[in-house]
Amino acid sequence: MAKDLQATVPKKNPDVAEKIGSTTMLFDANAGRLYELNESAKTMWVLCDGNRSVGEVARAMATEYDAPVEKLAADTAAFVKKMMELGLLVE
């Protein structure tokens, strides 16, 4: 993982299946684990498309949720870090 997480450009692990709708589910067949995302986590998941840095995802989240970017930067970094630890997001 990059030393500066804000500059990291995360993308979805292609081995993870997703169902995005009223309920967003991720399935990691390799680990045999199923994850359910809440609404804000779903938005972050969708924005982690391999084209945006963590900082850019945080700015998009701040715009979407009309919240301070400083708060969203910490939340987004925590989300990405956890998803990378689980192997759901990769660099």
Side-chain angles (χ1 to χ4, degrees), residues 3 9 13 26 28 30 33 44 55 71 74 84:
K3 290 179 184 171
V9 179
N13 180 335
L26 307 178
D28 180 356
N30 293 330
R33 304 276 324 244
M44 285 186 266
K71 167 78 170 107
M84 290 180 104

Side-chain angles (χ1 to χ4, degrees), residues 38-48 57 60-61 64-65:
N38 65 24
E39 188 64 30
S40 60
K42 174 184 103 168
T43 303
M44 285 186 266
W45 175 259
V46 170
L47 290 168
C48 289
V57 171
M61 291 289 294
E64 175 74 20
Y65 290 95

